[in-house]
Amino acid sequence: MELRQLLYFVKVAQKEHVTKAAEELHVAQSAVSRQIHQLEQELGVDLFIQKGRNVHLTAVGQLFCSRVEAIIKDLELAVNEVHEFLDPEQGEIRLGFPHSLGIHLIPSIVAEFRKLYPNVKFRFKQGMFPSLIRDVTMAEVDLAFISPFPESHDQVVGNLVLTEELVAILPPSHPLAQEETIHLSQLKEDKFILFSKGYSLRPIVWQACLEAGFSPKIAFEGEETDTIRGLVAAGMGVSLLPEMALFQTNLLQPARVRISNPRVTRTIGLIHRSDDKLPLVAQSFRKFLLEYFASASK
C-alpha cells in the first residue's frame, strides 16, 4: 500500500467522480483508476460502487476513508511541524516555568519576543522543580525556567539567568512594616505562611530561618503566590517571597521589607535537554532570553 494510492482514494471519495479527481490531481484518469483497483485488490474489498457517472463509497469504503483522512491529516501536520522546526520566525515554543514567574516575568518577555517574531506561538506549562525537570527530559517542553538552577544534571543543561532577592512580607499592621530593612531573626516569634512541601521556595525560606537562629512556626501552607500574599495581607502571618512575585494583582497587599541578614536569594535558570537539538524557533528564543537577562543585569 502506497501513500499515492491513499491520496488518490481520498480525492475520488471527495469528488465522487474519477475524472474530476484525476483533473484535480493533474494525472491521467487511467492512472487514478489503476491505483484504486490495486488498493481494492490489496484490501480484498470494493471501496466504491458505480452510480451512473459517479462513484460512491461502500460501507467499508466509508470506514476506510475516515481512517485514511485522519492519517493524511496527521502526515500534513508532521510535514508542517518539520517546516516550522526549520523556521526561526514561525512555529511553536513549548515553555515551562514555576508559578511565581507567571505573574510578571513570563508575560513581559513573551511580549518583547513577539515584537520581533509576531508569528511565533507559545504553549506554556507550569510546574514545580521535579515536574519541570521531567517535562524537559521527556521532551514535553523545549525550554524551562527553573528555580533553583541545577548546576549539574545528567539530562539537562542550561544557564543561570537571574539571582533574585527574597523580601519579607508582613501584615500592614505589623510593628516592623515601616522598616526599610530588618534582620530575619526579628521575625522568629511570628508565624509563617510557607509554600507546601515540594515547592522550591520552601527550603530556601526554611534554610534562611535556620541561619538566622530559629525554626519557623508554620501557621498555613499554600500552593499559590497570590494565596500566600493575601493571607499575609490579612494578618494571618508573615512570609518571604521573591520581588517579582509581588506585583499588585488586587487591592489587599502586604507590606514588604528588605532583609539585611542573612541575605536570602534564589537562582533561576533556563534549561533544555542535553541530548536534543532545539527547534530553530526555540533556539532563537533561547538566544533572545540570554541577551535579555544579560542586558538587564548590567
Side-chain angles (χ1 to χ4, degrees):
M1 190 177 300
E2 299 177 359
L3 176 61
R4 178 174 55 182
Q5 292 174 331
L6 300 180
L7 292 172
Y8 287 7
F9 162 70
V10 169
K11 184 61 67 175
V12 172
Q14 291 172 345
K15 295 297 180 181
E16 296 186 337
H17 200 285
V18 176
T19 302
K20 291 179 180 179
E23 290 174 351
E24 192 159 316
L25 291 166
H26 303 291
V27 296
Q29 176 183 333
S30 59
V32 175
S33 298
R34 183 169 58 254
Q35 293 296 332
I36 297 297
H37 178 66
Q38 290 176 356
L39 183 60
E40 289 178 325
Q41 282 190 320
E42 185 171 348
L43 292 172
V45 296
D46 290 329
L47 297 172
F48 294 99
I49 55 173
Q50 190 82 33
K51 286 190 176 180
R53 295 183 177 181
N54 287 29
V55 293
H56 296 277
L57 288 168
T58 61
V60 69
Q62 292 175 3
L63 177 64
F64 185 64
C65 187
S66 65
R67 296 292 189 183
V68 172
E69 285 178 331
I71 291 170
I72 292 174
K73 184 177 180 180
D74 284 342
L75 179 61
E76 290 173 347
L77 287 174
V79 172
N80 288 336
E81 287 176 353
V82 170
H83 291 161
E84 290 177 350
F85 187 98
L86 299 174
D87 189 343
E89 297 188 7
Q90 296 194 52
E92 181 180 75
I93 298 169
R94 301 173 303 162
L95 180 65
F97 56 89
H99 176 268
S100 61
L101 300 190
I103 299 170
H104 176 74
L105 179 66
I106 299 301
S108 298
I109 59 179
V110 167
E112 289 298 313
F113 183 74
R114 282 179 58 82
K115 291 178 183 178
L116 302 174
Y117 303 101
N119 296 321
V120 170
K121 301 181 289 292
F122 280 87
R123 187 190 306 175
F124 300 116
K125 194 168 186 182
Q126 293 182 320
M128 298 184 290
F129 184 95
S131 63
L132 289 170
I133 291 288
R134 183 183 65 247
D135 290 341
V136 172
T137 58
M138 298 298 292
E140 294 186 13
V141 297
D142 303 308
L143 298 163
F145 284 103
I146 196 163
S147 178
F149 173 59
E151 295 185 2
S152 177
H153 193 281
D154 291 340
Q155 294 176 285
V156 303
V157 294
N159 301 84
L160 174 64
V161 296
L162 182 64
T163 298
E164 184 185 19
E165 187 174 355
L166 273 65
V167 299
I169 58 171
L170 315 172
S173 60
H174 194 282
L176 301 174
Q178 303 304 316
E179 298 291 327
E180 289 188 9
T181 64
I182 61 172
H183 288 193
L184 187 54
S185 59
Q186 292 177 261
L187 300 179
K188 64 181 179 181
E189 299 302 328
D190 288 274
K191 292 185 177 180
F192 277 71
I193 300 172
L194 298 181
F195 278 97
S196 302
K197 291 181 179 178
Y199 286 83
S200 60
L201 283 173
R202 181 188 176 101
I204 294 174
V205 175
W206 193 277
Q207 183 59 36
C209 291
L210 293 180
E211 290 180 19
F214 68 98
S215 296
K217 304 170 186 176
I218 301 176
F220 298 98
E221 295 178 338
E223 298 181 353
E224 298 285 344
T225 303
D226 285 346
T227 301
I228 291 175
R229 187 174 55 207
L231 290 173
V232 171
M236 307 301 290
V238 302
S239 192
L240 274 64
L241 284 179
E243 290 189 290
M244 72 171 64
L246 296 176
F247 286 89
Q248 291 191 3
T249 56
N250 54 55
L251 296 177
L252 188 62
Q253 293 294 322
R256 64 182 76 180
V257 181
R258 304 190 81 84
I259 301 169
S260 61
N261 185 30
R263 185 169 179 264
V264 188
T265 62
R266 68 165 175 174
T267 56
I268 299 172
L270 180 68
I271 61 173
H272 59 90
R273 283 179 62 186
S274 57
D275 62 347
D276 197 21
K277 184 178 180 181
L278 290 171
L280 287 185
V281 65
Q283 291 182 38
S284 295
F285 186 53
R286 178 178 176 273
K287 181 175 182 291
F288 166 83
L289 290 173
L290 296 180
E291 292 174 352
Y292 177 92
F293 286 104
S295 176
S297 64
K298 291 180 180 178

